[in-house]
Amino acid sequence: ETGVTQSPTHLIKTRGQQVTLRCSSQSGHNTVSWYQQALGQGPQFIFQYYREEENGRGNFPPRFSGLQFPNYSSELNVNALELDDSALYLCASSLAGDSNQPQHFGDGTRLSIL
Amino acid sequence: LAKTTQPISMDSYEGQEVNITCSHNNIATNDYITWYQQFPSQGPRFIIQGYKTKVTNEVASLFIPADRKSSTLSLPRVSLSDTAVYYCLVGDMGPGANNLFFGTGTRLTVIP
């Protein structure tokens, strides 16, 4: 069984730039959620994708957007990067349809904004 | 989505049993209780999940009273490698469920 994988592991950008982060879901999973984790804080929900559509969104501005592909992998795109966007970005996958299935996380992408 | 309250930090000696309690007064009927462990610069790792009474797996036990307004994660005989942040989450994991509220978690430090 292949777990959740994210790329890249680390990334450095400057203010105003755009970034794309990638996630491959665990085999057998069809739902992907994205989280932002600032240093010393718990993960904060950004949004979830199910059947290639956004299926719920947290308190994040529209410059945070995403995609899910037919193979259930996903991308997180962030435009007009700000210094406060520096964080660990986590992807989690799960199997929708079974209420007893927890989300499984990747190890994240560490994004630093200069 | 039910929010949770847990102690900010706990210390324990190696070999002891550790119990971390989480309060979730507003838990809904369809909500499950899930615990995750997180090491620095890694993603949260699933530990255990339950709905009511007691659940046990190879690494932990989860105790849930009848009113489900709290839960206790029990780690038997902790080792130094159990030093981590532990998150209690409450939510509906069913179809369309999409938001896990993590809070700030409990930082467990295991002392030699």
Side-chain angles (χ1 to χ4, degrees):
Chain A
E1 182 179 271
T2 306
V4 177
T5 57
Q6 294 186 242
S7 63
T9 55
H10 296 84
L11 200 53
I12 299 175
K13 292 285 189 178
T14 57
R15 280 186 302 172
Q17 286 189 310
Q18 178 267 342
V19 69
T20 298
L21 310 181
R22 295 177 175 83
C23 172
S24 293
S25 60
Q26 181 169 313
S27 59
H29 287 181
N30 56 11
T31 302
V32 173
S33 301
W34 286 92
Y35 295 81
Q36 179 194 68
Q37 186 173 26
L39 201 60
Q41 303 294 316
Q44 301 296 310
F45 174 74
I46 303 175
F47 44 55
Q48 183 187 74
Y49 276 83
Y50 172 62
R51 292 182 174 176
E52 303 178 46
E53 292 187 358
E54 189 178 289
N55 187 41
R57 189 179 187 92
N59 190 26
F60 281 82
R63 61 189 184 86
F64 285 79
S65 63
L67 287 172
Q68 186 181 32
F69 300 99
N71 66 354
Y72 307 122
S73 66
S74 177
E75 288 182 352
L76 165 65
N77 299 291
V78 187
N79 294 322
L81 286 166
E82 301 176 0
L83 293 178
D84 285 348
D85 295 334
S86 294
L88 180 68
Y89 287 84
L90 296 163
C91 168
S93 72
S94 57
L95 178 62
D98 184 339
S99 62
N100 203 27
Q101 286 293 325
Q103 294 187 0
H104 292 267
F105 286 79
D107 284 336
T109 294
R110 173 71 62 186
L111 176 63
S112 299
I113 310 301
L114 304 180
Chain B
L1 189 69
K3 291 190 176 181
T4 60
T5 303
Q6 9 175 169
I8 293 175
S9 63
M10 296 179 67
D11 294 338
S12 176
Y13 288 100
E14 270 191 297
Q16 288 189 328
E17 178 184 75
V18 171
N19 296 308
I20 306 175
T21 297
C22 179
S23 297
H24 28 81
N25 292 321
N26 297 322
I27 190 168
T29 301
N30 294 332
D31 288 345
Y32 280 78
I33 300 158
T34 310
W35 285 81
Y36 285 86
Q37 174 194 55
Q38 188 176 28
F39 299 110
S41 297
Q42 293 186 22
R45 187 178 73 172
F46 171 77
I47 302 174
I48 197 166
Q49 182 183 73
Y51 184 79
K52 61 181 179 180
T53 63
K54 177 183 175 182
V55 179
T56 298
N57 62 22
E58 63 276 10
V59 298
S61 294
L62 178 59
F63 299 92
I64 305 169
D67 66 5
R68 303 202 325 125
K69 294 183 182 298
S70 67
S71 58
T72 299
L73 173 71
S74 181
L75 304 173
R77 299 179 299 281
V78 294
S79 63
L80 296 178
S81 63
D82 292 319
T83 294
V85 178
Y86 292 82
Y87 293 98
C88 161
L89 287 85
V90 171
D92 181 356
M93 303 290 180
N98 53 42
N99 187 354
L100 293 181
F101 179 79
F102 274 83
T104 55
T106 297
R107 183 173 300 278
L108 172 66
T109 302
V110 180
I111 305 165

